[in-house]
Amino acid sequence: EHLKVLFNTCYGRELSEQVWRHYYVDNPFGPSFSITAWSDGRLVGHYGAIPQLALNSSGTRRKYALGLTLAVLAEVRKQGVFARLMAEMANIARCRGYDFLLGFPNDKSWVPLSVFCGWKLLHGSAMNLVPVGEIEGEVDSLKEEWIIPPSGFSPPYTDKEYMSWRSRFSPIYSFIADNKIVIICKAYSNQTLDILDVYKLKEGDGIVYQAALKTIASHLKCAQICITERHAEILGIAGKCLRPFGHTVR
C-alpha cells in the first residue's frame, strides 16, 4: 500500500497490482529486489529491479538487472535520496553477480543518473507515431519466426517460458521480411503497432524495409506505428511522416 501511494503521488496514476506481480513475482529469471527510503514512517523513495537475461547467436549469456518503478517524492529530491537509492541498487546488483543494471529513465531522471550516478547512455531516441497510410510498398515474403540476432545481444526470444511471460498482456511478434530484415513488435488493442527491435539480416534498400513495416501493420490490423527515431533510420523513414509525442533514454 505504501508503494501504491508513492507511485500515485509521483506519476499521477495507479500502480496496477497485476502488472506489479507480473514483473516482481512471476518473473521467470528469479526473485526481484528493491531499495526503499523512509521518512517518519512514510515511504518517500523506491527503486526495484528484476533479473533478466541477454544472449547472442554464439550462446553467450549475460545476466542483468532491469530497473523498474523508480519513484522519489518531490519534497526529498534535493536531499540525496535519489543518488543513494541508485548507488545502493548498483551495489546490490554487483554483489549478486549481475553484469550491468539497465534502465529506461525519462528526461528528468536521466540528468542526475548521468551526472551523479555514472550511468552511460546506450541510445536515446525520440518516440514518434507514423500513420500506416503514409507508408508505401509490399514485400514478397513475410514469415513469423523467432531467431537470435546475428550480432550483439538481445533478450532470449527463443525461450518459450520467457516469451510467454513477456507476452502476457500484449502479444509480441517477430517477422522476417524477404529474408532481409527482422522486425519485433507489439500490437495493442488501440490499433497501434509498437516497434521493439529491428535488425538486418542482409543489406537492402529503404523501400523494402518500409514495405515490411506496412505489411506487418496491415497484417495485424494496426492503423499507426509507434517507433523510435533510431529504428526509423534503420527502416528508411527517418525525417518523413514522423509525428513526435515523447522521448525515452535507453
Side-chain angles (χ1 to χ4, degrees):
E1 292 300 320
H2 290 284
L3 180 56
K4 286 183 178 180
V5 173
L6 175 64
F7 189 89
N8 181 266
T9 302
C10 292
Y11 293 98
R13 56 188 173 87
E14 296 295 325
L15 174 62
S16 167
E17 189 170 335
Q18 183 183 30
V19 173
W20 181 90
R21 183 175 184 84
H22 170 68
Y23 285 109
Y24 285 94
V25 180
D26 299 334
N27 173 36
F29 295 124
S32 61
F33 53 100
S34 62
I35 309 298
T36 58
W38 298 80
S39 177
D40 297 325
R42 186 171 58 138
L43 182 65
V44 296
H46 175 275
Y47 192 33
I50 61 174
Q52 293 286 274
L53 184 69
L55 50 82
N56 62 14
S57 56
S58 64
T60 302
R61 292 169 171 251
R62 299 190 69 181
K63 180 183 177 184
Y64 69 95
L66 175 62
L68 298 170
T69 53
L70 171 61
V72 177
L73 284 182
E75 62 198 70
V76 298
R77 287 177 188 169
K78 294 184 179 180
Q79 299 177 23
V81 174
F82 182 97
R84 290 171 63 186
L85 284 173
M86 301 308 301
E88 188 63 24
M89 176 62 75
N91 182 57
I92 291 177
R94 190 180 303 111
C95 291
R96 295 193 179 192
Y98 293 100
D99 293 315
F100 58 91
L101 177 63
L102 177 68
F104 293 80
N106 55 28
D107 290 345
K108 186 180 296 184
S109 298
W110 175 242
V111 174
L113 281 173
S114 58
V115 175
F116 303 113
C117 305
W119 276 50
K120 296 180 180 180
L121 179 67
L122 294 181
H123 65 83
S125 188
M127 302 294 292
N128 300 272
L129 287 178
V130 184
V132 173
E134 296 182 16
I135 304 175
E136 300 179 353
E138 293 184 3
V139 293
D140 294 326
S141 68
L142 184 70
K143 60 182 177 179
E144 190 173 347
E145 182 180 345
W146 287 102
I147 64 173
I148 299 300
S151 62
F153 284 83
S154 76
Y157 291 129
T158 55
D159 185 298
K160 291 184 178 180
E161 183 182 10
Y162 169 79
M163 292 310 301
S164 175
W165 172 76
R166 183 81 185 271
S167 303
R168 184 169 300 175
F169 299 113
S170 298
I172 300 179
Y173 304 91
S174 173
F175 292 99
I176 302 177
D178 287 350
N179 293 315
K180 292 181 178 179
I181 193 164
V182 178
I183 298 178
I184 298 172
C185 54
K186 264 189 176 185
Y188 292 101
S189 57
N190 65 352
Q191 294 186 307
T192 297
L193 185 69
D194 186 9
I195 306 303
L196 303 178
D197 205 355
V198 174
Y199 52 91
K200 298 177 182 179
L201 299 178
K202 298 178 183 178
E203 286 299 327
D205 57 53
I207 299 299
V208 173
Y209 301 151
Q210 293 177 44
L213 198 59
K214 180 171 184 177
T215 303
I216 292 170
S218 299
H219 175 71
L220 297 176
K221 297 179 173 56
C222 291
Q224 62 183 3
I225 299 166
C226 175
I227 188 171
T228 66
E229 286 184 354
R230 174 174 173 268
H231 289 148
E233 289 175 0
I234 296 174
L235 293 168
I237 59 173
K240 181 176 69 174
C241 64
L242 297 179
R243 300 174 182 177
F245 72 97
H247 184 81
T248 184
V249 180
R250 300 185 179 184

